Amino acid sequence: MTTKKKRAKARDGEATRQALIDSAAALFAAEGIDAVSVRAINAAAGYGPAATHYHFGSKDAILHAVLLDYGSAVLARIHALASELNDSVEVPSAEEIVRVLAVPYQEFLEEDYVRAEQWLAICGQLSLANDERLFSPMEDDDTAVIIGQLLERAFPDVDKDQRDQNFSLAANTLIAMAATWARAAGGAESASAHRLDSLSIFIAGGLSSLMERRRA
């Protein structure tokens, strides 16, 4: 095979992978991850019954690819904001820590509403089910460690396990509600962004209250 043909084949392969990822994202968001079959993903993308297995190997693998393809920029932004906040000499507030997550979600909604809505819907499903696959794209970075450091600085008198549990509840609520509101907006990007900002304030208050109860 000539170099030119190899390049053309590689481009075709990437196009197929992207089509499968986009089809899977739309189906996972609309019908639910568990309800979607590999056969349905292949059919929606317009490929044969073996396409997903050939390019990804399994349904879990294409789910991981969806989370990474749609959310990589969001995760990078979360890491950057968490690092910036952690570098500050000021003790972080609960609202500032929650906004480390909320601001990238809001920016994604404003930049690409359709992809953001689908990604949030998928993350919301995994979050509500406490499904560890939600965190698979973060396995190779230290974002969770940095957020843990922020929580320790903000709430030093609270036990680490309790801090982590409280923040997990706050983060899961943020993701689930952001997904619900994004879908309900039906394309009203600015409305979703405004609601997400209000939700961040509400969740930060709840997080602070939970932490204060553990101090008492």
Side-chain angles (χ1 to χ4, degrees), residues 15-32 36-47 51-52 56 62-63 66 69-70 115 118 122:
T16 300
R17 283 176 58 87
Q18 191 61 54
L20 290 166
I21 287 172
D22 290 341
S23 295
L27 289 171
F28 289 155
E31 300 180 16
V36 175
S37 67
V38 170
R39 181 182 294 274
I41 295 170
N42 294 331
Y47 294 107
T52 294
F56 297 96
I62 196 170
L63 172 61
V66 168
D69 185 81
Y70 278 47
R115 284 170 64 91
Q118 291 175 350
I122 295 165

Side-chain angles (χ1 to χ4, degrees), residues 19-199:
L20 290 166
I21 287 172
D22 290 341
S23 295
L27 289 171
F28 289 155
E31 300 180 16
I33 297 166
D34 292 339
V36 175
S37 67
V38 170
R39 181 182 294 274
I41 295 170
N42 294 331
Y47 294 107
T52 294
H53 284 296
Y54 177 80
H55 287 279
F56 297 96
S58 68
K59 181 178 170 180
D60 275 353
I62 196 170
L63 172 61
H64 176 81
V66 168
L67 292 172
L68 197 58
D69 185 81
Y70 278 47
S72 58
V74 177
L75 297 177
R77 182 77 168 122
I78 289 172
H79 185 277
L81 290 176
S83 298
E84 180 181 344
L85 185 58
N86 205 31
D87 287 341
S88 172
V89 296
E90 300 293 331
V91 175
S93 67
E95 185 174 335
E96 287 174 322
I97 296 173
V98 170
R99 286 187 183 279
V100 164
L101 302 181
V103 167
Y105 297 165
Q106 183 170 320
E107 290 172 346
F108 193 13
L109 283 167
E110 293 171 349
E111 178 183 343
D112 190 336
Y113 182 81
V114 173
R115 284 170 64 91
E117 187 273 326
Q118 291 175 350
W119 181 77
L120 282 168
I122 295 165
C123 290
Q125 294 173 49
L126 295 172
S127 178
L128 286 173
N130 200 26
D131 193 318
E132 292 184 355
R133 290 177 295 179
L134 175 62
F135 305 104
S136 61
M138 299 174 62
E139 289 174 349
D140 296 328
D141 70 35
D142 59 350
T143 302
V145 173
I146 297 172
I147 291 176
Q149 292 169 349
L150 289 169
L151 291 169
E152 183 177 10
R153 291 174 58 197
F155 308 103
D157 299 331
V158 180
D159 177 76
K160 179 184 183 303
D161 289 342
Q162 194 61 52
R163 284 197 306 263
D164 292 345
Q165 181 179 331
N166 290 345
F167 184 73
S168 178
L169 177 60
N172 287 348
T173 303
L174 176 64
I175 293 170
M177 290 304 299
T180 299
W181 281 350
R183 172 145 296 187
E189 297 93 332
S190 60
S192 290
H194 175 72
R195 285 184 170 185
L196 189 54
D197 184 64
S198 299
L199 179 61

